[in-house]
């Protein structure tokens, strides 16, 4: 079975990349969530196997001025202005090198880029290199939001490392005042720019002159982000009869221990609320074992069955044990271990294929509030990889134990994880590279979702 | 095999509908493409099995005033104003009845709704009935676009039926002038409205206060529409060895006649250009028979392989003939004929499932220019149903002959179709209700894509 040939014009995951290279230029005053947006966009793109890198101008500037005070950012401070300009130039130069020599697809230039002249300069530089520009402005005048951003994020910035948080916050507010003096929002005079202007964290958006599919993907993703505090609950189905017999795929019923887990799941979910009530929406796959696992959850919670949450399709190997696959399709068995992420079962799917069909699920998760997903091992690995920024080559080897509930809470930088164990025995369905094992214990080094 | 239970909160196709009912309120001067947008949105939603209906205020107004002249639309014409107001009220009343008694999901109110007071009145009516509102304004100042819209569409409107086109166009321009006198674009004073403002046919968009997933789906779709003239070419793979033996699914090679078709396809495509050169992008599935069919097309055309274009997954019936399926799974065979659109093969897919996985393909087709798709029978039926507004219950029974190329060109109202036949014999893969037939000829009444 030939693997899908990713064509020159695609990254092989159904995203029309073409020859396009895009510089996403962040725009906005400090503490408007620019770095957060940049990080999330990069994570999303990497998950889709689109090569993306963040170029943070602050990091370049810190080489010349490690811990400057607010005065440094005063428009009248000529030395400060010189250093900041040099940092921007260094970042843009490195970015252009990256596009040229490493064939990057999307660079995200993380800086305030707060004046029209600075934006024009970036556009001209990119134009002359044949790189598209997409300006993304985050504009927010909600004082509470800005303050919470200052306190949560900025006082932990390298600029203030080791300093008194109160003093740091005050200095940072002064820094913002200095930027405000010269800040120019993107307006009618810049209609030749391609831009997305996000106001008050997505309440209102302006989208101007989107040129192609790749830009539209990024714009749609960024429009869907929200910052309400919420969590995502993940669970595999309870142990199935196939788990017990070591068979893959199929549509088996739960084992008696799997039934025990289903009965205990409502209690486990309540425990995870830790005192706070949440109405959850429950998503399952269309397969019996996930629907059965979710069936004792409160009746008043909405349940949705998604075909897109069905287990990775193992094609001709459906219903077989790994030992049978190794026997009947030795070359395939070998090929899968060599490149588990890209290996596509004959007549079935690869992890890469699963990521494509999960993309709308991820988009909906970004828009949604509290969701509980009851699904399958490979699907959980892919969803987990998105939230935890797991390397796509490593994610197919993660250990996802049966009979535990994982609660993920996205935060400003990274995702918080808490694991709730049902303490109901189950077989291990993990399989190490080269192994044909029915019920193998993960090695010490194996990363586990439940730790 | 149990069919997926569509939950109360979903239409069963992976769209979170919830209890939401949305009134999409079109806003804009005449000849800004409002009716076109309304029609396309309805077609898209129906294709996704979301119950949507257009309420065209003009149709209500024509009951009171069949062929009014421009004077009728003068702000100072009190009688005209009274009739137009009554038409709006009648349309809104019918719409609310439809929501209440027929449990509709999305109504599209197609009218100019050109003043703030009119929009406020609609919002208040909907608010009091618990119906969400999404205002969609099309604003366009490009005189050429407006004129071509006037000439192409409006002079064929019922308002001008049987009249001299030149005079009709002149009268229509005067009507627009009358609307312009009172037209108020959606602005800062209406920030409590949820709205999408599309400027110059999508060049620029403003999106305000989107509340939920269903609204965001509609908004994303409308943002992706463009009006550049382009076509979509559709072809099945050449005849495969499985077509010859009457087997379904699998990953068979082309038959000798299928190879002939692959060799002839470049010529057929050139013929379809009818003198105009188009660089095409070629999309195939990941299966051998579509890739082989596309392999003689010009090397300089980009080719993309989409897993989402793979044939409907027939699960346990993969590789079988219909006679074998009827023998081995008689209940399934019967159930499929009863409701072919919803029937899901054991371990496989239904047409409804295929529509969900094709949705991103449709979205990308809407954004793209000239695309040639080489794919499979069920997939073609679904794509065709979208463009030709086929009923979803009928589409699984369409006849899609092998060895012909179908060129679809979306126009203002409807889609133009031209068929190019290769004149290379092939078996028929069509199957009538109840039949187990290997190679059955479609009946006289069967709708054919190639006619």
């Amino acid at each position: 079975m030939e693997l899908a040939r990713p064509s020159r014009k695609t990254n092989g995951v159904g995203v029309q990349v073409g020859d396009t290279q895009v510089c996403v230029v962040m725009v906005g005053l400090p503490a408007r969530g620019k770095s957060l947006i940049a990080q999330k966009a990069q994570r999303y793109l990497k998950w889709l196997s689109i090569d993306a890198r963040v170029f943070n101008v602050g990091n370049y500037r810190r080489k010349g001025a490690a811990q400057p005070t607010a005065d440094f950012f005063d428009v009248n401070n000529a030395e400060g202005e010189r250093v900041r300009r040099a940092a921007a130039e260094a970042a843009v130069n490195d970015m252009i090198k990256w596009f040229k020599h490493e064939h990057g697809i999307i660079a995200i230039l993380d800086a305030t880029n707060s004046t029209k002249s600075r934006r024009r300069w970036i556009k001209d530089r990119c134009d002359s290199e044949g790189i598209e520009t997409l300006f993304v402005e985050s504009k927010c005048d909600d004082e509470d939001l800005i303050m919470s951003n200052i306190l949560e994020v900025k006082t932990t910035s390298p600029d203030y490392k080791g300093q008194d948080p109160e003093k740091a916050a005050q200095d940072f507010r002064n820094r913002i005042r200095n930027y405000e003096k010269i800040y120019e929002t993107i307006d009618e005079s810049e209609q030749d720019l391609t831009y997305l202007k996000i106001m008050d964290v997505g309440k209102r958006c302006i989208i101007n002159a989107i040129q192609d599919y790749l830009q539209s993907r990024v714009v749609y993703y960024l429009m869907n982000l929200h910052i309400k505090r919420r969590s995502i609950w993940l669970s595999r189905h309870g142990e199935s009869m196939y788990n017990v017999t070591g068979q893959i795929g199929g549509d088996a019923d739960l084992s008696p221990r799997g039934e025990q887990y289903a009965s205990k799941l409502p209690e486990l979910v309540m425990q995870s609320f830790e005192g706070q009530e949440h109405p959850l929406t429950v998503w399952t796959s269309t397969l019996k074992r996930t629907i059965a696992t979710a069936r004792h959850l409160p009746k008043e919670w909405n349940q949705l069955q998604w075909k897109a949450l069905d287990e990775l399709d193992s094609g001709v190997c459906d219903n077989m044990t790994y030992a049978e696959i190794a026997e009947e399709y030795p070359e395939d068995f070998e090929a899968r271990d060599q490149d588990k992420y890209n290996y596509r079962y004959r007549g079935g799917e690869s992890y890469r294929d699963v990521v494509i069909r999960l993309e709308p699920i991820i988009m909906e998760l970004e828009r949604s509030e509290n969701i509980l997903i009851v699904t399958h091992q490979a699907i959980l690995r892919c969803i987990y990889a998105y939230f935890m920024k797991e390397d796509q080559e490593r994610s197919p080897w993660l250990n996802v134990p049966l009979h535990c509930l994982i609660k993920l809470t996205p935060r400003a930088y990274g995702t918080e994880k808490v694991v709730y164990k049902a303490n109901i025995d189950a077989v291990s369905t993990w399989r190490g590279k080269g192994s044909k094992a029915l019920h193998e214990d993960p090695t010490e080094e194996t990363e586990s979702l439940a730790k």
Side-chain angles (χ1 to χ4, degrees), chain A:
Chain A
M1 175 82 180
E2 197 188 1
L3 289 182
R5 302 167 305 177
S7 119
R8 187 174 65 86
K9 292 287 184 171
T10 161
N11 68 343
V13 293
V15 180
Q16 282 204 82
V17 167
D19 293 325
T20 314
Q21 295 184 311
V22 185
C23 172
V24 174
V25 187
M26 301 305 305
V27 174
L29 287 166
R32 263 61 178 185
K34 294 187 303 298
S35 295
L36 177 59
I37 294 170
Q39 295 297 335
K40 286 199 85 163
Q42 190 214 16
R43 186 186 66 177
Y44 169 72
L45 292 163
K46 295 282 268 188
W47 184 74
L48 286 171
S49 303
I50 297 171
D51 194 10
R53 187 183 287 187
V54 177
F55 293 84
N56 182 306
V57 174
N59 291 341
Y60 286 81
R61 189 255 305 145
R62 272 183 283 274
K63 289 176 196 160
Q67 290 202 323
T69 59
D71 304 341
F72 178 86
F73 299 92
D74 189 318
V75 268
N76 300 315
N77 182 335
E79 173 58 11
E81 169 61 19
R82 194 195 59 75
V83 173
R84 284 181 292 130
R85 170 89 193 196
E89 281 183 7
V92 168
N93 287 339
D94 278 0
M95 176 184 82
I96 288 171
K97 268 188 220 153
W98 177 73
F99 275 128
K100 276 199 171 159
H101 302 306
E102 298 178 46
H103 310 290
I105 304 291
I106 297 195
I108 305 168
L109 193 63
D110 185 9
T112 54
N113 298 313
S114 52
T115 64
K116 292 183 185 185
S117 67
R118 173 62 55 91
R119 295 192 286 270
R120 187 59 52 186
W121 171 75
I122 295 168
K123 183 174 186 324
D124 290 346
R125 282 296 307 273
C126 287
D127 281 357
S128 69
E129 303 288 345
I131 298 161
E132 296 178 1
T133 43
L134 166 61
F135 292 82
V136 175
E137 178 174 1
S138 175
K139 196 166 180 305
C140 175
D141 301 319
D142 182 324
E143 278 298 327
D144 291 345
L145 267 174
I146 297 164
M147 272 316 292
S148 83
N149 198 349
I150 290 176
L151 290 171
E152 267 196 52
V153 180
K154 288 299 167 176
T155 54
T156 63
S157 142
D159 281 355
Y160 295 105
K161 206 175 166 183
Q163 299 186 18
D164 171 53
E166 264 307 300
K167 267 194 184 157
Q170 185 53 48
D171 185 85
F172 196 70
R173 274 195 293 271
N174 291 338
R175 186 196 291 191
I176 296 176
R177 302 265 176 280
N178 279 325
Y179 270 107
E180 279 170 351
K181 288 179 199 157
I182 54 157
Y183 186 67
E184 297 166 307
T185 187
I186 298 178
D187 69 14
E188 302 288 325
S189 71
E190 292 172 281
Q191 291 306 304
D192 65 316
L193 302 186
T194 293
Y195 66 81
L196 164 65
K197 191 164 165 173
I198 304 172
M199 282 164 283
D200 295 327
V201 206
K203 190 184 172 312
R204 191 159 176 242
C205 295
I206 303 180
I207 296 154
N208 191 63
I210 296 300
Q211 292 157 288
D212 54 38
Y213 179 67
L214 189 56
Q215 292 183 355
S216 99
R217 281 287 278 252
V218 174
V219 164
Y220 184 55
Y221 175 75
L222 295 180
M223 277 171 50
N224 275 312
L225 300 179
H226 69 75
I227 51 150
K228 278 190 208 138
R229 179 83 186 258
R230 56 78 190 256
S231 298
I232 293 128
W233 284 256
L234 302 173
S235 172
R236 288 179 69 183
H237 52 79
E239 185 188 71
S240 77
M241 295 310 293
Y242 267 27
N243 292 152
V244 175
T245 55
Q247 287 167 277
I248 65 169
D251 193 13
D253 290 317
L254 295 182
S255 74
R257 296 192 298 197
E259 287 290 353
Q260 277 181 50
Y261 179 69
S263 301
K264 194 165 182 185
L265 186 57
E267 184 192 323
L268 212 56
V269 173
M270 295 307 151
Q271 184 193 337
S272 78
F273 287 170
E274 292 174 357
Q276 283 191 298
E277 261 307 318
H278 302 273
L280 299 189
T281 298
V282 182
W283 294 355
T284 67
S285 76
T286 68
L287 298 169
K288 286 190 283 186
R289 55 196 185 278
T290 63
I291 296 167
T293 302
R295 76 183 189 284
H296 301 301
L297 291 164
K299 287 279 166 278
E300 59 278 17
W301 292 359
N302 293 314
Q303 292 209 7
L304 241 88
Q305 294 171 14
W306 294 83
K307 185 86 185 156
L309 289 173
D310 281 3
E311 182 54 309
L312 185 147
D313 181 353
S314 43
V316 294
C317 296
D318 202 43
N319 304 310
M320 292 169 80
T321 64
Y322 287 114
E324 287 166 349
I325 298 170
E327 171 82 20
E328 196 152 343
Y329 302 104
E331 280 172 38
D332 287 79
F333 190 78
E334 167 79 20
R336 186 156 199 258
D337 271 2
Q338 289 309 313
D339 185 358
K340 198 171 176 190
Y341 186 71
N342 288 300
Y343 172 79
R344 176 183 288 156
Y345 276 108
R346 293 169 189 252
E349 290 178 305
S350 63
Y351 272 85
R352 187 181 279 274
D353 293 328
V354 168
V355 161
I356 305 167
R357 72 159 144 101
L358 284 177
E359 200 271 348
I361 298 270
I362 291 296
M363 203 64 94
E364 185 149 0
L365 276 177
E366 284 294 351
R367 278 205 73 82
S368 301
E369 300 195 10
N370 295 308
I371 306 278
L372 162 60
I373 304 178
V374 181
T375 180
H376 307 266
Q377 178 164 262
I379 309 304
L380 263 182
R381 282 172 174 153
C382 294
I383 296 175
Y384 185 85
Y386 171 77
F387 283 104
M388 304 303 280
K389 221 176 165 172
E390 273 297 334
D391 192 280
Q392 293 287 46
E393 305 304 311
R394 285 162 49 90
S395 58
W397 298 102
L398 292 170
N399 177 30
V400 194
L402 289 163
H403 300 178
C404 64
L405 178 69
I406 300 159
K407 181 178 173 187
L408 300 179
T409 308
R411 306 300 300 272
Y413 288 105
T415 301
E416 233 173 65
K417 180 173 84 169
V418 189
V419 179
Y420 301 88
K421 292 188 179 167
N423 297 319
I424 296 168
D425 283 345
V427 300
S428 162
T429 58
W430 183 83
R431 183 185 72 84
K433 202 173 273 198
S435 151
K436 303 170 201 168
L438 168 71
H439 314 316
E440 177 184 11
D441 282 328
T443 58
E444 281 293 312
E445 305 79 51
T446 306
E447 192 179 340
S448 171
L449 268 69
K451 264 181 208 153

